[in-house]
Coordinates of all heavy atoms in Angstrom, one line a residue:
H40 N 38.6 7.6 -21.8 CA 38.1 8.9 -21.9 C 37.2 9.3 -20.6 O 36.4 10.2 -20.7 CB 37.0 8.9 -23.1 CG 37.7 9.4 -24.3 ND1 38.6 8.6 -25.0 CD2 37.4 10.4 -25.1 CE1 38.9 9.2 -26.1 NE2 38.2 10.4 -26.2
P77 N 42.4 -5.5 -20.0 CA 42.2 -5.6 -21.5 C 41.7 -4.2 -22.0 O 41.1 -3.6 -21.3 CB 41.0 -6.6 -21.7 CG 40.8 -7.1 -20.2 CD 41.4 -6.2 -19.3
Q78 N 42.3 -3.9 -23.2 CA 42.0 -2.7 -23.9 C 41.7 -2.8 -25.3 O 42.3 -3.5 -26.0 CB 43.2 -1.8 -23.6 CG 43.6 -1.2 -22.4 CD 44.7 -0.2 -22.5 OE1 45.5 -0.2 -23.4 NE2 44.8 0.6 -21.5
G79 N 40.8 -2.0 -25.7 CA 40.5 -1.7 -27.2 C 41.1 -0.3 -27.6 O 42.2 0.0 -27.3
A80 N 40.1 0.6 -27.9 CA 40.4 1.9 -28.3 C 40.5 2.9 -27.2 O 40.8 4.1 -27.4 CB 39.5 2.4 -29.4
R81 N 40.1 2.4 -25.9 CA 40.1 3.3 -24.7 C 39.2 4.4 -24.8 O 39.6 5.6 -24.4 CB 41.6 3.7 -24.4 CG 42.5 2.6 -24.3 CD 43.9 2.8 -24.2 NE 44.5 3.8 -25.1 CZ 44.9 3.5 -26.4 NH1 44.6 2.3 -26.8 NH2 45.3 4.4 -27.1
T82 N 38.1 4.2 -25.4 CA 37.0 5.3 -25.5 C 36.0 5.2 -24.3 O 35.1 5.9 -24.2 CB 36.2 5.3 -26.8 OG1 35.5 4.0 -26.9 CG2 37.1 5.5 -28.0
A83 N 36.3 4.2 -23.3 CA 35.5 4.1 -22.2 C 35.5 5.4 -21.4 O 36.5 6.1 -21.3 CB 36.0 3.0 -21.3
T84 N 34.2 5.8 -21.0 CA 34.1 7.0 -20.2 C 34.0 6.7 -18.7 O 33.6 7.6 -17.9 CB 32.8 7.7 -20.6 OG1 31.7 6.8 -20.3 CG2 32.8 8.1 -22.0
A87 N 37.1 2.1 -17.0 CA 37.2 0.6 -17.0 C 38.4 0.2 -17.8 O 38.9 -1.0 -17.7 CB 36.0 0.1 -17.8
A88 N 39.0 1.1 -18.8 CA 40.1 0.6 -19.6 C 41.4 1.3 -19.2 O 42.5 1.3 -19.9 CB 39.8 1.0 -21.1
T99 N 44.1 -5.2 -27.5 CA 43.8 -6.1 -28.5 C 43.4 -5.5 -29.9 O 42.8 -6.1 -30.7 CB 42.6 -7.0 -28.1 OG1 41.5 -6.2 -27.7 CG2 43.0 -7.9 -26.9
P118 N 38.8 -9.0 -31.9 CA 38.3 -8.0 -31.0 C 38.7 -6.5 -31.4 O 38.1 -5.5 -31.0 CB 38.8 -8.3 -29.6 CG 40.1 -9.1 -29.9 CD 39.7 -9.8 -31.2
P140 N 27.5 2.7 -31.4 CA 28.0 3.8 -30.5 C 28.4 5.1 -31.1 O 28.9 5.0 -32.3 CB 29.1 3.2 -29.6 CG 29.3 1.8 -30.2 CD 28.4 1.6 -31.4
A141 N 28.1 6.2 -30.5 CA 28.5 7.5 -31.2 C 30.1 7.5 -31.3 O 30.6 8.3 -32.2 CB 28.1 8.7 -30.4
S142 N 30.8 6.6 -30.7 CA 32.2 6.5 -30.9 C 32.6 5.5 -32.0 O 33.8 5.1 -32.0 CB 32.8 6.2 -29.6 OG 32.3 5.0 -29.0
C146 N 36.0 3.2 -31.7 CA 35.8 2.0 -30.7 C 36.0 0.6 -31.4 O 35.5 0.5 -32.6 CB 34.6 2.2 -29.9 SG 33.1 2.0 -30.7
T147 N 36.3 -0.4 -30.6 CA 36.5 -1.7 -31.2 C 35.3 -2.6 -30.8 O 34.7 -2.4 -29.8 CB 37.8 -2.3 -30.7 OG1 37.7 -2.5 -29.3 CG2 39.0 -1.4 -31.0
G149 N 35.7 -5.5 -29.5 CA 36.1 -6.1 -28.2 C 35.6 -5.3 -27.1 O 35.0 -5.7 -26.1
G150 N 35.8 -3.9 -27.1 CA 35.3 -3.0 -26.3 C 33.8 -2.9 -26.2 O 33.2 -2.7 -25.2
N151 N 33.1 -3.0 -27.4 CA 31.6 -2.9 -27.5 C 31.0 -4.1 -26.8 O 30.0 -4.0 -26.1 CB 31.3 -3.1 -29.0 CG 31.7 -1.8 -29.7 OD1 31.5 -1.8 -31.0 ND2 32.2 -0.7 -29.1
A153 N 32.6 -6.0 -24.4 CA 32.9 -5.9 -23.0 C 31.9 -4.9 -22.3 O 31.8 -5.1 -21.0 CB 34.3 -5.6 -22.7
T154 N 31.5 -3.9 -23.0 CA 30.5 -3.0 -22.3 C 29.0 -3.1 -22.8 O 28.2 -2.3 -22.3 CB 30.9 -1.5 -22.7 OG1 31.0 -1.4 -24.2 CG2 32.3 -1.2 -22.2
A156 N 27.7 -2.4 -25.6 CA 27.6 -1.0 -26.0 C 26.2 -0.8 -26.8 O 25.7 -1.8 -27.5 CB 28.7 -0.6 -27.0
G157 N 25.7 0.4 -26.6 CA 24.4 0.8 -27.3 C 24.7 1.8 -28.4 O 25.7 1.5 -29.1
G158 N 23.9 2.8 -28.4 CA 24.2 3.7 -29.4 C 22.9 4.4 -29.9 O 22.0 4.4 -29.1
E207 N 33.0 -6.1 -18.9 CA 34.0 -5.1 -18.7 C 35.4 -5.6 -18.5 O 36.2 -5.1 -17.7 CB 33.6 -4.1 -17.6 CG 32.2 -3.4 -17.8 CD 32.0 -2.3 -16.9 OE1 32.9 -1.7 -16.5 OE2 30.8 -2.2 -16.6
G208 N 35.7 -6.7 -19.2 CA 37.1 -7.2 -19.0 C 37.5 -7.9 -17.7 O 38.7 -8.0 -17.4
G211 N 37.8 -12.3 -18.6 CA 38.7 -12.8 -19.4 C 38.9 -11.9 -20.7 O 38.4 -10.8 -20.7
V212 N 39.7 -12.3 -21.6 CA 40.0 -11.5 -22.8 C 39.4 -12.1 -24.0 O 39.7 -13.2 -24.4 CB 41.6 -11.3 -23.0 CG1 41.8 -10.4 -24.2 CG2 42.2 -10.7 -21.7
V213 N 38.5 -11.3 -24.6 CA 37.8 -11.8 -25.9 C 38.8 -11.7 -26.9 O 39.5 -10.7 -27.3 CB 36.6 -10.8 -26.3 CG1 36.1 -11.2 -27.6 CG2 35.7 -10.9 -25.1
N333 N 29.1 16.3 -29.0 CA 30.4 15.9 -28.0 C 31.5 16.9 -28.3 O 32.0 17.3 -27.2 CB 30.8 14.4 -28.5 CG 29.8 13.4 -27.9 OD1 29.4 13.6 -26.8 ND2 29.7 12.3 -28.7
H377 N 19.7 9.2 -26.0 CA 18.8 8.4 -26.8 C 17.5 8.3 -26.2 O 17.1 7.4 -25.5 CB 19.6 7.0 -26.8 CG 21.1 7.1 -26.9 ND1 21.7 7.9 -28.0 CD2 22.2 6.7 -26.3 CE1 23.0 7.8 -27.9 NE2 23.3 7.1 -26.9
E421 N 24.5 2.2 -21.0 CA 25.4 1.7 -22.0 C 26.9 1.8 -21.8 O 27.6 1.1 -22.3 CB 25.0 2.2 -23.4 CG 25.1 3.7 -23.4 CD 24.6 4.3 -24.8 OE1 24.1 3.6 -25.6 OE2 25.1 5.5 -25.1
H422 N 27.2 2.7 -21.0 CA 28.7 2.9 -20.8 C 29.3 1.9 -19.8 O 30.5 1.7 -19.9 CB 29.0 4.3 -20.3 CG 28.8 5.4 -21.5 ND1 28.9 6.7 -21.1 CD2 28.3 5.2 -22.6 CE1 28.6 7.4 -22.2 NE2 28.2 6.5 -23.2
N458 N 41.1 -7.1 -14.7 CA 40.7 -5.7 -14.5 C 40.1 -5.5 -13.0 O 38.9 -5.0 -12.9 CB 39.6 -5.6 -15.6 CG 39.7 -4.2 -16.3 OD1 40.4 -3.4 -15.8 ND2 38.8 -3.8 -17.1
Ligands
FAD518 C1 32.7 10.5 -27.8 C2 32.1 9.2 -27.2 C3 30.9 8.7 -27.6 C4 30.4 7.5 -27.0 N1 29.1 7.0 -27.3 C5 28.8 5.8 -26.9 C6 27.4 5.4 -27.3 O1 26.8 6.0 -28.1 N2 27.1 4.2 -26.9 C7 28.0 3.4 -26.0 O2 27.6 2.3 -25.6 N3 29.1 3.9 -25.6 C8 29.6 5.1 -26.1 N4 30.7 5.5 -25.7 C9 31.7 4.8 -24.8 C10 32.7 3.8 -25.5 O3 33.0 4.2 -26.7 C11 32.1 2.4 -25.5 O4 32.0 1.9 -24.1 C12 33.0 1.4 -26.4 O5 32.2 0.1 -26.5 C13 34.4 1.2 -25.8 O6 35.1 0.5 -26.8 P1 36.7 0.6 -26.9 O7 37.2 -0.2 -28.0 O8 37.1 2.0 -26.8 O9 37.1 -0.2 -25.5 P2 37.9 0.3 -24.3 O10 37.5 1.7 -23.8 O11 39.4 0.1 -24.6 O12 37.6 -0.6 -23.2 C14 36.1 -0.8 -22.7 C15 36.1 -1.9 -21.8 O13 36.1 -3.1 -22.6 C16 37.2 -4.0 -22.1 N5 37.8 -4.6 -23.3 C17 38.3 -4.0 -24.3 N6 38.7 -4.9 -25.2 C18 38.5 -6.2 -24.6 C19 38.8 -7.5 -25.0 N7 39.4 -7.8 -26.2 N8 38.4 -8.5 -24.2 C20 37.8 -8.2 -22.9 N9 37.6 -6.9 -22.5 C21 37.9 -5.9 -23.3 C22 38.0 -3.1 -21.2 O14 38.7 -3.7 -20.1 C23 37.0 -2.0 -20.7 O15 36.4 -2.6 -19.6 C24 31.3 6.7 -26.1 C25 32.5 7.3 -25.9 C26 33.0 8.5 -26.4 C27 34.4 8.9 -26.0

Side-chain angles (χ1 to χ4, degrees):
H40 266 68
Q78 287 186 337
R81 304 171 313 283
T82 63
T84 57
T99 57
S142 52
C146 67
T147 65
N151 295 169
T154 56
E207 302 190 33
V212 180
V213 174
N333 284 326
H377 317 306
E421 56 181 18
H422 290 178
N458 221 359

